[in-house]
Amino acid sequence: MELVFATNNRHKLEEVGQILGAAYTLKTPADCGLTGDIPEEQDTLEGNALQKARYVKLHTGLDCFADDTGMEVTALGGAPGVRSARYATDGHNPEANMALLLKNLDGVADRTARFRTVIALILDGKEYLFEGEVRGHIGEVPAGDKGFGYDPVFIPEGYNETFAQLPPQVKNAISHRAEAVNKLAVFLKSYKG
Ligand code: ITT
């Protein structure tokens, strides 16, 4: 099955490709002639995932899905949440985002956090949402060079290493994105149209 994944994030594309496996061919917006930023201006993950998927559907006419993800820290009231990409600066700057997060957690005992992903699928003109989360905590310093974004500071429950230290296969088996993508795959397998 062929689907457009409404993302400009090559790390997400790689992860989702690995989780979905060979039964699915993922096309990017650029593969369909759509370049430039995809708008995400809403104040919820659900809203942003839908906005990204609707934008790509509108401009390509193709069935597609989008992923919006946030890092939600308990002691910060769920921040940075939907603002995760632009927490420290206007643009995507993972080092600055992690530095600000660690600064805001300085001396804070409760370091629990979760990643949450919402996937919006547009198929045959109808919209569907799938959600996934992984719980864990924020480490004291960034560690590891795998993954992307906030991975160097996130230690998933049951592990002693960050997502950036663990093998990608482990992240892709237990992550927020894996849970949402697996729900998407179950839905697509049983979809009758
Ligand atoms: P698209 O909107 O093009 O899909 P994006 O990088 O803008 O890509 P998000 O808005 O969903 O994606 O990401 C919000 C922030 O969370 C951003 O800083 C990402 O780097 C980070 N992030 C997303 N998924 C992550 C993951 O699995 N591990 C670590 N950080 C992640």
Side-chain angles (χ1 to χ4, degrees):
M1 182 176 192
E2 195 171 273
L3 274 176
V4 181
F5 182 11
T7 185
N8 283 321
N9 182 324
R10 66 180 176 83
H11 301 284
K12 283 187 184 177
L13 184 70
E14 199 177 309
E15 286 187 4
V16 173
Q18 275 169 17
I19 298 161
L20 278 177
Y24 296 87
T25 302
L26 297 181
K27 292 174 78 175
T28 63
D31 291 336
C32 309
L34 191 59
T35 54
D37 281 349
I38 302 171
E40 43 181 321
E41 304 146 332
Q42 308 307 306
D43 56 10
T44 61
L45 299 180
E46 289 78 3
N48 273 341
L50 280 167
Q51 185 177 16
K52 290 189 270 193
R54 285 174 186 158
Y55 180 86
V56 170
K57 172 72 184 170
L58 180 70
H59 291 278
T60 67
L62 299 168
D63 289 333
C64 64
F65 69 95
D67 159 322
D68 204 56
T69 295
M71 152 65 62
E72 300 177 347
V73 179
T74 314
L76 303 177
V82 72
R83 297 194 59 250
S84 292
R86 293 171 186 80
Y87 189 39
T89 66
D90 273 355
H92 292 247
N93 185 336
E95 284 73 31
N97 286 339
M98 285 188 287
L100 180 59
L101 189 61
L102 292 175
K103 181 168 162 267
N104 288 341
L105 283 178
D106 194 24
V108 175
D110 178 6
R111 301 183 75 89
T112 56
R114 67 173 180 173
F115 273 120
R116 197 161 72 86
T117 288
V118 175
I119 286 180
L121 168 72
I122 301 183
L123 187 60
D124 294 332
K126 290 209 186 89
E127 298 177 337
Y128 307 88
L129 294 175
F130 307 91
E131 189 177 329
E133 68 160 29
V134 59
R135 291 178 180 277
H137 70 277
I138 303 299
E140 297 290 337
V141 289
D145 56 9
K146 301 181 181 67
F148 67 100
Y150 291 87
D151 281 343
V153 293
F154 183 78
I155 300 166
E157 246 172 42
Y159 294 82
N160 295 315
E161 291 179 301
T162 68
F163 264 161
Q165 294 173 298
L166 291 164
Q169 301 91 295
V170 173
K171 181 182 178 190
N172 290 338
I174 65 169
S175 79
H176 46 306
R177 181 160 297 108
E179 187 182 13
V181 171
N182 286 324
K183 287 179 185 171
L184 168 72
V186 166
F187 173 83
L188 290 173
K189 259 189 210 131
S190 64
Y191 184 72
K192 301 276 190 290

